Amino acid sequence: MKFIYFVGTAGSGKSTLINAYMEWLNDAGISVIAINLDPGVDTLPYKANVDIRDWIAIDEVMAKYNLGPNGAQIVAADLMAVNIQKIVDAVADFDDTYALVDTPGQLELFAFRESSKVIIESFGKNDSMVMYLYDPMICKTPNGFISSTVLASLVQFRLELPMINILTKIDVLEKKEIDKLLSWYDNLDLLYDDILNTTNSQTVVSAELFKAIEGVGLFGQMYAASSIQNLGFDRIYAVMQLEFFAGEDDSIDEEIDNDDD
């Protein structure tokens, strides 16, 4: 089984994207399960095949350790590592090709806790990759975009996994806005010029951050997706196939061809 971790800031649309992408894969005849690793979520738009809430409940953590909601989230994130064998055993009951892994809404609870490394290693690091979600409402400005890219780079550095960068919720953007954001990732000179043309106190910092990211080669490719309109899933799937199987999968060729028409 191959594990795809959906990571992003709160509100970037992780759960919604998992729901839509899971339906798209099922319609294409691709076997997939969903794993929820957010113990604090109230409701999910999809049915989780494996759910951390079966072992860890935020209200119980709050009562047991006399903590508020934020403190309980941190403790619950670490408790996932303690319960990892139970989760692994539950996942082992499935023989699907892919597992879409929903991570906590607060990015730092997964990306920057040691428990995340325990989880990734237990599921299989060589069989894992990250989908990092860029929230378009945050990165519509050059400074916001570079801040999001810095955060994405830190996530990749921490988790040490292959990563796909996804601009989510493109249905809330105009086409010219989508083109601009994607061009910033593809055309670094354009992004740098736009940063310098932004006249505020953050311009110098953003320019230096840009140089740092460019210097270590962390810019790559970005793909646009919409959970509402089911857009971009064919390209995302193709990148997954290239990463996991060197692109050798004909099972969905017809679906991709239909999307391109």
Side-chain angles (χ1 to χ4, degrees):
M1 187 180 294
K2 305 300 182 183
F3 297 86
I4 300 94
Y5 296 85
F6 288 68
V7 181
T9 54
S12 59
K14 296 184 289 294
S15 298
T16 305
L17 184 61
I18 285 177
N19 179 56
Y21 190 42
M22 189 175 183
E23 290 181 357
W24 187 85
L25 289 171
N26 282 326
D27 289 344
I30 307 300
S31 60
V32 58
I33 65 170
I35 301 173
N36 173 47
L37 292 184
D38 188 349
V41 67
D42 291 326
T43 60
L44 292 169
Y46 58 86
K47 177 177 173 55
N49 302 94
V50 178
D51 197 329
I52 188 63
R53 295 176 297 176
D54 292 338
W55 299 281
I56 303 171
I58 288 295
D59 55 348
E60 294 177 3
V61 173
M62 291 172 63
K64 181 176 180 179
Y65 297 98
N66 192 27
L67 295 169
N70 291 334
Q73 287 276 15
I74 295 173
V75 171
D78 292 338
L79 285 175
M80 282 195 286
V82 177
N83 290 272
I84 188 58
Q85 192 55 52
K86 297 177 183 177
I87 304 171
V88 170
D89 290 344
V91 172
D93 291 336
F94 299 89
D95 60 357
D96 297 76
T97 304
Y98 296 106
L100 309 184
V101 185
D102 202 354
T103 61
Q106 293 84 355
L107 177 149
E108 66 276 9
L109 294 176
F110 182 76
F112 301 127
R113 307 293 298 181
E114 288 301 312
S115 57
S116 63
K117 294 185 177 182
V118 174
I119 292 168
I120 291 170
E121 291 287 353
S122 298
F123 284 160
K125 187 171 183 178
N126 291 334
D127 294 319
S128 300
M129 71 182 308
V130 171
M131 285 196 186
Y132 187 85
L133 278 57
Y134 279 67
D135 187 333
M137 306 314 294
I138 295 176
C139 58
K140 288 175 70 173
T141 66
N143 289 335
F145 187 89
I146 202 67
S147 298
S148 297
T149 303
V150 168
L151 191 53
S153 302
L154 290 173
V155 168
Q156 187 169 23
F157 175 75
R158 281 282 301 172
L159 300 183
E160 299 178 301
L161 291 175
M163 191 164 81
I164 305 175
N165 297 293
I166 302 176
L167 178 65
T168 60
K169 301 188 289 188
I170 60 170
D171 47 277
V172 305
L173 300 174
E174 297 181 4
K175 185 180 185 303
K176 63 180 181 180
E177 292 177 313
I178 298 171
D179 292 341
K180 180 180 71 172
L181 291 175
L182 295 179
S183 67
W184 277 346
Y185 220 86
D186 293 334
N187 187 337
L188 299 186
D189 290 337
L190 177 61
L191 173 58
Y192 189 65
D193 287 343
D194 285 346
I195 290 173
L196 295 182
N197 289 330
T198 303
T199 56
N200 60 44
S201 59
Q202 298 175 324
T203 299
V204 174
V205 175
S206 293
E208 292 303 315
L209 289 173
F210 171 90
K211 293 177 182 178
I213 298 171
E214 182 186 31
V216 294
L218 290 176
F219 283 106
Q221 184 71 37
M222 176 179 282
Y223 302 89
S226 168
S227 303
I228 303 299
Q229 300 172 339
N230 281 1
L231 295 176
F233 294 162
D234 53 342
R235 297 304 171 207
I236 293 171
Y237 182 81
V239 176
M240 283 171 45
Q241 290 303 111
L242 184 63
E243 179 60 40
F244 286 132
F245 307 110
E248 297 177 1
D249 182 4
D250 299 328
S251 60
I252 202 169
D253 282 352
E254 183 178 350
E255 181 73 23
I256 293 177
D257 289 340
N258 289 338
D259 279 2
D260 286 342
D261 292 340

